Amino acid sequence: MDYMYGPGRHHLFVPGPVNIPEPVIRAMNRNNEDYRSPAIPALTKTLLEDVKKIFKTTSGTPFLFPTTGTGAWESALTNTLSPGDRIVSFLIGQFSLLWIDQQKRLNFNVDVVESEWGQGANLQVLASKLSQDENHTIKAICIVHNETATGVTNDISAVRTLLDHYKHPALLLVDGVSSICALDFRMDEWGVDVALTGSQKALSLPTGLGIVCASPKALEATKTSKSLKVFFDWNDYLKFYKLGTYWPYTPSIQLLYGLRAALDLIFEEGLENIIARNARLGKATRLAVEAWGLKNCTQKEEWISNTVTAVMVPPHIDGSEIVRRAWKRYNLSLGLGLNKVAGKVFRIGHLGNVNELQLLGCLAGVEMILKDVGYPVVMGSGVAAASTYLQHHIPLIPSRI
């Protein structure tokens, strides 16, 4: 029996995994087939070309790994760097923390720049480090574009501006797991050397694909990288790219067909329209939070995320209880506060295959939960604030005009 079962539809509002569109589910509902047949290489070729579009790159080389974002992190590091290399890495929340832990365990020399959780990357510290690094000992800058633990989005173009200003050759490695296909991301324009994402976020697929895109400079760095790698070795992929068979080992056939359907839906809606939709959902959620008299974990407007909102709760309320009650009573999944903000926040994810009316249902559920746990919310206040904004900003559905 499905442990999650409840009447009607489950309301999934965590910042990943997200809702999967029905056309994607149908596309994956197929038997296994021989990946050495002509069909899979032909499919893979179209996927590699179209994946570049969501990174906004023409010069990057994409890789599709049967893994998670964590595997994509490891791929980015081990293909471009050598043990002992100095990395500047920003600690702003749980997922940047986990990436830093991985960097240390892979024996890189990690120069951590830590910010208070709820703040973005401290680029003034980066500027100072770059200005003092005359011998170019810094080999890479690692930064999470969108930190889902705190709802913080970093300015990647500003990082590139600093690197260019100081004429510093360090590689720029960016975790775009919860941003690519949801927020504005421009790999070529921002000079990103390695960008990565995971299938379970804005692509609205099941977990299982780590998608990495490498610039020509990053590919050149593989020639001097001394890190041990086997499963995540780009060079193995590149050999099979040249052969036209694409896969050094068995891929997930079902996920490839799902990715094809997901990309088709993205291009049908339009990437810029998706970014605008996420901006509407993020704004509506923040208006609701304000109407409830609560605060956003994100401390400045410049860092606000349009894919997840981390809501601070009063000291006498446990944010984890809000999440538990949402699941037990209202068939609603919200995100827990993690690590330093555990119990202090709950998170509303609003990315992927979700629309405005779905969000309003979630916000109505949150209001009932807040009442349940003893917070004096004015019922309907957040929903009214969000719906008033959305009613003035939702465009017509292009395909129905």
Side-chain angles (χ1 to χ4, degrees), residues 379-395:
M379 296 297 285
S381 58
V383 174
S387 59
T388 299
Y389 166 77
L390 290 171
Q391 192 270 327
H392 287 95
H393 291 85
I394 299 175

Side-chain angles (χ1 to χ4, degrees), residues 106-138:
L106 289 168
N107 296 318
F108 299 115
N109 175 16
V110 189
D111 189 345
V112 178
V113 179
E114 187 168 1
S115 298
E116 181 182 341
W117 287 33
Q119 296 181 359
N122 191 330
L123 299 188
Q124 291 182 336
V125 173
L126 175 62
S128 176
K129 290 181 183 295
L130 292 174
S131 68
Q132 296 171 26
D133 188 29
E134 295 179 358
N135 295 323
H136 296 160
T137 62
I138 299 170

Side-chain angles (χ1 to χ4, degrees), residues 67-118:
T67 186
T68 63
T70 305
W73 283 344
E74 186 167 331
S75 166
L77 296 166
T78 57
N79 280 278
T80 58
L81 300 166
S82 300
D85 279 353
R86 182 183 175 195
I87 300 171
V88 174
S89 199
F90 296 94
L91 201 173
I92 61 170
Q94 178 66 9
F95 295 96
S96 52
L97 173 67
L98 291 173
W99 197 12
I100 287 168
D101 176 64
Q102 185 188 77
Q103 292 158 19
K104 291 178 177 178
R105 290 163 70 179
L106 289 168
N107 296 318
F108 299 115
N109 175 16
V110 189
D111 189 345
V112 178
V113 179
E114 187 168 1
S115 298
E116 181 182 341
W117 287 33

Side-chain angles (χ1 to χ4, degrees), residues 46-66:
T46 69
L47 292 175
L48 293 174
E49 284 302 313
D50 283 347
V51 157
K52 291 166 66 173
K53 298 174 185 176
I54 66 173
F55 287 88
K56 293 187 181 174
T57 180
T58 57
S59 60
T61 299
F63 302 94
L64 305 176
F65 290 101

Side-chain angles (χ1 to χ4, degrees), residues 284-296 309-314 317 322 332 334 346-348 350 359-371 375-386:
T285 304
R286 293 189 293 273
L287 287 171
V289 172
E290 183 180 347
W292 296 331
L294 297 174
K295 291 184 178 180
N296 196 317
T309 300
V311 185
M312 301 289 293
V313 296
I317 291 177
I322 289 174
L332 168 64
L334 301 170
F346 66 93
R347 295 177 297 147
I348 302 173
H350 34 79
L359 177 67
L360 291 174
C362 168
L363 297 176
V366 172
E367 289 185 356
M368 290 189 285
I369 299 159
L370 289 172
K371 203 75 167 178
Y375 180 75
V377 64
V378 176
M379 296 297 285
S381 58
V383 174

Side-chain angles (χ1 to χ4, degrees), residues 147-284:
E147 173 58 73
T148 52
T150 55
V152 165
T153 300
N154 283 308
D155 186 347
I156 304 302
S157 64
V159 179
R160 169 47 59 194
T161 298
L162 286 174
L163 286 167
D164 290 348
H165 176 77
Y166 292 105
K167 297 181 172 58
H168 202 290
L171 295 166
L172 177 54
L173 277 54
V174 179
D175 169 347
V177 170
S178 60
S179 65
I180 290 170
C181 249
L183 306 179
D184 189 22
F185 189 90
R186 309 177 189 185
M187 182 171 177
D188 285 356
E189 184 178 328
W190 296 343
V192 175
D193 291 300
V194 186
L196 58 96
T197 191
S199 55
Q200 78 280 13
K201 299 285 187 173
L203 279 164
S204 299
L205 284 161
T207 307
L209 281 179
I211 305 173
V212 180
C213 204
S215 73
K217 181 179 174 182
L219 290 181
E220 188 66 24
T222 64
K223 297 176 181 178
T224 55
S225 168
K226 294 180 175 59
S227 294
L228 290 176
K229 48 197 169 286
V230 179
F231 186 80
F232 294 119
D233 195 332
W234 294 351
N235 288 312
D236 287 350
Y237 271 77
L238 293 172
K239 291 174 186 176
F240 283 84
Y241 285 5
K242 289 180 180 178
L243 292 172
T245 52
Y246 295 101
W247 292 100
Y249 38 67
T250 310
S252 169
I253 302 297
Q254 289 78 9
L255 276 175
L256 294 184
Y257 282 106
L259 178 58
R260 179 68 271 160
L263 289 171
D264 290 343
L265 290 175
I266 287 166
F267 299 146
E268 181 179 346
E269 183 177 358
L271 188 54
E272 298 309 314
N273 292 330
I274 292 171
I275 293 168
R277 170 165 55 83
N278 280 299
R280 287 195 301 276
L281 297 174
K283 176 69 172 178

